[in-house]
Amino acid sequence: MPLPYNKRTCYCGQVGRQHIGQSVLLCGWVAIRRDHGGMVFIDLRDREGLVQLKFNPETDPKAHEAAGRLRSEYCVAVRGDVSPRPAGLENPNLATGAIEVNVREIDILSGSETPRFPVEDEINVKDETRLEYRFLDLRRPVMQKALITRHKAVKLIRDYFNENGFIEIETPFLTKSTPEGARDFLVPSRKQPGSFFALPQSPQLFKQLLMMSGFDKYMQIVRCFRDEDSRKDRQPEFTQLDVEMSFVQMDDVLNVAEGYLVRVWKEVLGVDLPRPFPRMSYQQAMAEYGIDRPDTRYDLRIKDVTAICARTDFKVFSGAVAAGGVVRCIRVPGGADMSQSEIEKADTSLQAILRGIGAGGLPYVKVAGAQGSGFGVQGLGFGVQGSAGVSPGATAVPAVPSAENTAHRAVAQPGSVGVPPAQPGSVGVAPAFKTGVAKFFSPELTAELCAATGAQPGDAIFFAADKEDAVCKYLARLREEVARRRNLIPQGKWNFLWVVDFPLLEHHAEDNRYYAVHHPFTAPMDEDVHFLDSEPLKARAKAYDVVVNGTELAGGSIRIHRDDVQSKIFKLLSLSPQEAELKFGFLLKALRHGPPPHGGFAMGVDRMVMLLNGLESLLDTFAFPKTAEGYCPLTQAPSEVDEKQLTECHVRTVLPKR
RNA sequence: GGGGCCGUAGCUCAAUUGGUUCAGAGCGCCGCCCUGUCACGGCGGAGGUUGCGGGUUCGAGCCCCGUCGGCCUCGCCA
């Protein structure tokens, strides 16, 4: 009689001491077989974990004989008695390691080809192979955990928003192409020859319409589509939590978003996030971190030294300033121990990386003197300690270690290389720069730069001189690179913050027009509305982003609810009334029918799950992701279709010329 | 769309300057043996059109061209 596998008593991973003496019925997959000729052990795996099965030829010869036929990934049902393992034979590495199941009966429900790769957490297999055999890949415990965490987070979304009065409403996938933003995925219309639907990049316009429909508090967990190249943090289809609320101010929206994040971090990770999240202006983020999604877990903040560097004879500096650019720098505490190779010679040097994103080079200086003095870093075994850093009255250099110095005490670099021996006697004299562009700094400028940056002997200072946006880009990248290389990123920290005060518009020189920084429906700050007529770039938006450890997790805005303001924005965006009517006519029409003030946000669910799972790659948060080329090795999509299908939807393909 | 790297056994990789142990290793797999393993162990064995197509050469895994696929990166993308 076959085993009643539908009467499973519990999951493999849940068998424990409480089952000792009981009979259990388990279903799962063979993780491994250890066959001793006599005794046979099988690790049986299901989504909750592993348990050891024991097959004894003397007590259960029939089951033992079947066990000999088992191979990896066979699917089986077993009935057996749970017993404690003999003393000294417990396996502390296994949650179920205190017990084992003495199998009385076994049914082999199905066999398996030899798996293409082992079904275990630590594997060294190309992504492509994992994706082709995704059903096996997903059996791995880490993947099961990742998707279960995703389920928990998504369930919490529905719980939280339901409890707060939100209504989940679905919006169309077959919708209208929108001109702004990313490239659309298109779907040909069979009924309207020559016309196309677009898959939504987000339900932005629909959720605004729902506000105008009176639904007050809307949410949706929704798939979005963008036909752009994938990256490891980007997939062509992804999931957003989409939220919109009426009769709210910015703070109300931020509160709702924070409330959810605090809850999910608490319930999934057991982490208490402090509320409210700190806020940082876009201007501060760009000035100090060079990027609108600052990672505040480490310092290395950017300092503007344009005024000082403009007075050097270094043409890169003076030239950039003369051209209206800026000179900014990052001080790396203890950075004098970085080798020339690491900074500018090797293929993977900091300079090489910056050149890769368009920088001309990487000017730098090292501050001469005892390495590590002033902030307790000990290099090369020299006993120069913090207090010896700068003796009082020696120079104009501030002797007080700044907060950022303190922040790095815990992350001193062991094993520094390529640093000339420090002379204890040199501390306390005027600071001097060495190497790099040191020769362009007179003693006076050296002192000023040290004062401005808080530089101490043993530090390194890296510069970027160019147009402001370029400098930000270079130094943001440098900051991240240095922090990673020097292990300055503390683990286990969750630095949530709101970035606010975004500009409403940006100007692109190429086509000499304005673009919406967020999107065209974002409201300007009330006090900045008048700038729209005079200096549009000065207008700030009622927009906000949630940033966690340098990752943008969510973003949103208060929307324009007056059609006269909306029309003004369209005009600034060089959208003629006719074009605006053609593209967004339905929204403008709705805006003429009593729209409520409203705003909301959207959150990247996949990214959130990646963070919650501590993963590096988005791939592991999707059950069935695509490769960087947008290909699915499992289903082999996309694929060609029958000529008949093309004819039916009035499409002819024109392949690129070879 | 641009640039770079890569493709050899089921998996991960090696193979000097193009040459005579150049088709190899580890893991996995198959068979036999093994009663306390949990990285089980021992002995033996099978397994490759070097992604595909073309070219250069006396000779190509290696060099050249094309193509397919993968990864990284810039652009693009909130």
Side-chain angles (χ1 to χ4, degrees):
Chain A
M1 200 171 68
L3 283 172
Y5 50 77
N6 56 332
K7 299 282 195 283
R8 169 164 65 180
T9 48
C10 65
Y11 285 108
C12 297
Q14 294 171 333
V15 186
R17 292 183 183 280
Q18 73 275 16
H19 294 97
I20 287 174
Q22 297 177 21
S23 171
V24 292
L25 197 146
L26 304 172
C27 301
W29 287 266
V30 173
I32 195 170
R33 179 176 61 120
R34 292 181 293 277
D35 187 342
H36 291 263
M39 201 87 84
V40 173
F41 297 98
I42 300 282
D43 285 347
L44 194 67
R45 181 192 63 242
D46 62 23
R47 73 175 212 209
E48 300 297 327
L50 289 178
V51 69
Q52 174 164 286
L53 308 180
K54 189 178 81 176
F55 296 82
N56 188 328
E58 291 170 2
T59 58
D60 300 277
K62 211 175 152 197
H64 178 265
E65 187 270 328
R69 295 198 302 272
L70 295 179
R71 296 293 182 274
S72 291
E73 301 311 314
Y74 279 28
C75 183
V76 302
V78 298
R79 196 201 314 269
D81 304 322
V82 180
S83 64
R85 294 201 190 183
L89 292 172
E90 299 91 350
N91 186 346
N93 301 319
L94 209 56
T96 59
I99 54 89
E100 60 193 0
V101 178
N102 305 283
V103 176
R104 306 287 177 231
E105 296 172 80
I106 177 166
D107 263 0
I108 299 178
L109 302 175
S110 65
S112 171
E113 291 180 11
T114 299
R116 195 54 81 92
F117 49 83
V119 177
E120 58 196 31
D121 282 354
E122 298 295 325
I123 57 171
N124 179 18
V125 181
K126 282 193 283 281
D127 284 347
E128 192 187 0
T129 307
R130 289 179 52 201
L131 294 187
E132 187 184 344
Y133 288 84
R134 190 62 160 177
F135 44 88
L136 285 182
D137 193 37
L138 292 178
R139 280 185 198 167
R140 296 162 54 230
V142 276
M143 296 302 295
Q144 301 253 317
K145 175 178 172 283
L147 292 185
I148 291 169
T149 300
R150 184 183 182 113
H151 159 75
K152 285 180 187 164
V154 168
K155 176 173 184 299
L156 274 174
I157 291 175
R158 293 213 161 88
D159 291 347
Y160 173 85
F161 284 92
N162 178 58
E163 288 161 21
N164 284 279
F166 285 78
I167 295 169
E168 181 162 14
I169 301 174
E170 292 176 90
T171 52
F173 276 9
L174 297 176
T175 182
K176 194 178 171 69
S177 181
T178 51
E180 304 271 331
R183 194 178 294 118
D184 287 321
F185 278 103
L186 297 177
V187 180
S189 162
R190 177 173 60 86
K191 295 278 197 180
Q192 309 276 329
S195 291
F196 294 81
F197 294 105
L199 302 181
Q201 297 178 26
S202 81
Q204 181 61 39
L205 297 176
F206 286 108
K207 71 174 172 180
Q208 291 193 239
L209 290 172
L210 286 168
M211 293 304 103
M212 294 165 208
S213 306
F215 283 101
D216 201 272
K217 290 176 170 182
Y218 144 92
M219 61 79 64
Q220 184 182 192
I221 296 164
V222 62
R223 195 66 62 85
C224 302
F225 306 86
R226 291 180 188 154
D227 189 7
E228 299 291 349
D229 290 358
S230 299
R231 287 287 160 75
K232 59 173 176 275
D233 63 346
R234 200 198 299 170
Q235 281 274 307
E237 52 178 315
F238 58 98
T239 302
Q240 276 192 350
L241 161 61
D242 198 45
V243 172
E244 196 76 5
M245 307 162 70
S246 292
F247 313 114
V248 288
Q249 300 283 3
M250 220 174 94
D251 282 358
D252 303 303
V253 180
L254 302 198
N255 245 318
V256 165
E258 274 185 19
Y260 170 68
L261 288 168
V262 165
R263 180 151 163 199
V264 69
W265 250 253
K266 177 68 180 174
E267 294 197 19
V268 174
L269 295 180
V271 169
D272 287 301
L273 298 177
R275 276 185 86 172
F277 296 168
R279 296 188 194 181
M280 185 186 295
S281 72
Y282 170 86
Q283 291 70 22
Q284 185 190 351
M286 294 306 290
E288 297 187 0
Y289 300 90
I291 197 166
D292 58 1
R293 43 181 180 85
D295 189 340
T296 59
R297 287 176 298 172
Y298 52 94
D299 209 302
L300 296 180
R301 268 184 277 180
I302 297 167
K303 288 277 192 321
D304 192 296
V305 288
T306 308
I308 299 168
C309 291
R311 288 184 278 136
T312 65
D313 292 330
F314 186 34
K315 278 194 204 132
V316 171
F317 289 169
S318 51
V321 175
V326 298
V327 184
R328 291 180 184 167
C329 67
I330 289 178
R331 178 179 71 90
V332 179
D337 66 2
M338 281 192 268
S339 69
Q340 201 181 4
S341 162
E342 186 181 357
I343 295 171
E344 56 185 344
K345 287 280 164 59
D347 290 347
T348 57
S349 69
L350 296 174
Q351 185 178 74
I353 286 170
L354 290 200
R355 283 188 194 279
I357 57 173
L362 178 60
Y364 72 98
V365 297
K366 292 178 178 177
V367 186
Q371 192 229 355
S373 61
F375 46 94
V377 174
Q378 187 160 342
L380 296 175
F382 283 83
V384 183
Q385 289 301 318
S387 59
V390 179
S391 37
T395 67
V397 180
V400 183
S402 65
E404 52 214 76
N405 283 336
T406 316
H408 292 300
R409 280 175 195 266
V411 286
Q413 292 294 292
S416 52
V417 290
V419 180
Q423 292 112 41
S426 69
V427 298
V429 303
F433 292 156
K434 57 182 183 180
T435 74
V437 297
K439 65 181 173 185
F440 297 106
F441 285 88
S442 65
E444 293 73 32
L445 289 174
T446 298
E448 281 189 50
L449 192 71
C450 285
T453 60
Q456 310 269 331
D459 291 354
I461 301 172
F462 295 94
F463 301 90
D466 206 322
K467 295 265 187 293
E468 184 174 4
D469 56 347
V471 166
C472 286
K473 179 176 159 186
Y474 304 152
L475 292 182
R477 181 60 185 272
L478 180 78
R479 197 174 160 266
E480 187 188 339
E481 200 63 34
V482 167
R484 192 164 52 229
R485 292 184 183 202
R486 297 179 68 79
N487 279 322
L488 300 179
I489 307 175
Q491 298 304 301
K493 271 182 101 166
W494 294 107
N495 282 20
F496 281 75
L497 61 94
W498 287 104
V499 175
V500 296
D501 295 348
F502 283 87
L504 186 69
L505 301 166
E506 61 189 8
H507 191 264
H508 287 195
E510 310 90 83
D511 46 4
N512 189 35
R513 52 158 284 200
Y514 294 105
Y515 283 84
V517 169
H518 192 69
H519 59 54
F521 319 107
T522 299
M525 297 229 178
D526 299 332
E527 63 270 34
D528 291 357
V529 172
H530 67 276
F531 283 130
L532 295 181
D533 298 317
S534 52
E535 302 165 274
L537 290 177
K538 284 197 173 171
R540 290 166 302 162
K542 290 182 180 172
Y544 33 82
D545 280 354
V546 180
V547 174
V548 191
N549 297 353
T551 296
E552 185 199 321
L553 185 56
S557 62
I558 299 296
R559 326 297 181 187
I560 297 166
H561 69 282
R562 285 172 37 186
D563 66 338
D564 59 328
V565 178
Q566 187 66 69
S567 297
K568 195 173 278 184
I569 296 292
F570 282 154
K571 200 169 170 188
L572 283 168
L573 297 176
S574 303
L575 268 176
S576 70
Q578 294 76 19
E579 285 175 295
E581 191 60 37
L582 198 66
K583 304 289 186 187
F584 308 116
F586 58 100
L587 181 72
L588 299 179
K589 197 190 291 173
L591 281 173
R592 295 193 297 267
H593 290 79
H598 63 287
F601 68 92
M603 190 168 78
V605 171
D606 315 293
R607 270 187 198 175
M608 181 179 71
V609 173
M610 183 173 83
L611 290 168
L612 286 169
N613 279 316
L615 296 170
E616 296 279 315
S617 167
L618 257 202
L619 284 190
D620 295 342
T621 72
F622 288 83
F624 301 106
K626 293 178 175 60
T627 68
E629 290 299 313
Y631 175 74
C632 173
L634 180 72
T635 62
Q636 302 185 321
S639 59
E640 292 183 356
V641 296
D642 290 343
E643 198 57 39
K644 178 160 173 278
Q645 287 178 282
L646 291 179
T647 307
E648 275 178 347
C649 57
H650 323 289
V651 167
R652 187 182 304 152
T653 55
V654 182
L655 299 178
K657 287 202 180 80
R658 291 254 128 77

